């Protein structure tokens, strides 16, 4: 099966999901908190605490592995995110800890 066909374009308005033919992945996971656990992380509060921010990394198709893998851009590390409960404990944004209405994202990459 062609790699592009595996990652075809699909977007349904209001569905909460989006897919595309680009080989990108969110470096946060789907949901990695500061301890690396699969939790409900958050970056901002809209009607509820949610993750509305992303850092995407380009991937390449590996025929030998049959999946997308890191190419020349290697993820070295990322800043851990807060869980929804931790955000609730810190209170509304902006605040003294975060002067924005979104908590920051940070990732470090190595280009080989």
């Amino acid at each position: 099966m062609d790699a592009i066909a595996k990652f075809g374009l699909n977007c349904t308005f209001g569905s909460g999901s989006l897919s595309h033919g680009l080989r990108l992945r969110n470096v946060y996971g789907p949901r990695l908190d500061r301890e690396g656990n699969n939790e409900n992380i958050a970056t901002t509060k809209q009607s509820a605490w949610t993750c509305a921010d992303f850092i995407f990394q380009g991937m390449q198709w590996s025929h030998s592995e049959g999946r997308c893998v890191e190419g020349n851009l290697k993820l070295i590390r990322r800043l851990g995110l807060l869980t929804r409960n931790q955000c609730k404990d810190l209170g509304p944004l902006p605040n003294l800890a975060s002067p924005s209405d979104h908590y920051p994202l940070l990732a470090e990459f190595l280009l080989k």
Side-chain angles (χ1 to χ4, degrees):
M1 179 184 290
D2 182 42
I4 296 298
K6 288 184 178 182
F7 300 97
L9 180 62
N10 179 29
C11 179
T12 305
F13 182 76
S15 69
S17 77
L18 169 70
S19 65
H20 50 75
L22 302 174
R23 294 185 194 118
L24 300 174
R25 78 166 180 165
N26 177 11
V27 301
Y28 279 97
R31 300 175 176 164
L32 293 177
D33 69 3
R34 290 180 181 260
E35 286 78 41
N37 299 313
N38 188 356
E39 294 285 337
N40 288 321
I41 51 120
T43 58
T44 189
K45 186 170 184 182
Q46 295 173 353
S47 57
W49 285 102
T50 188
C51 184
D53 303 291
F54 307 93
I55 296 177
F56 291 106
Q57 175 186 13
M59 306 292 279
Q60 67 184 30
W61 182 256
S62 168
H63 291 285
S64 62
E65 294 188 38
R67 64 184 181 95
C68 283
V69 297
E70 281 186 320
N72 293 333
L73 188 63
K74 307 290 185 188
L75 176 64
I76 303 299
R77 60 185 168 182
R78 63 188 157 231
L79 178 68
L81 298 178
L82 300 171
T83 66
R84 290 178 183 172
N85 287 334
Q86 290 169 328
C87 290
K88 288 176 192 175
D89 291 343
L90 288 174
L93 289 174
N95 59 35
L96 292 176
S98 181
S100 172
D101 62 342
H102 292 246
Y103 283 111
L105 304 181
L106 179 69
E108 183 177 354
F109 296 94
L110 173 66
L111 182 59
K112 286 191 169 185

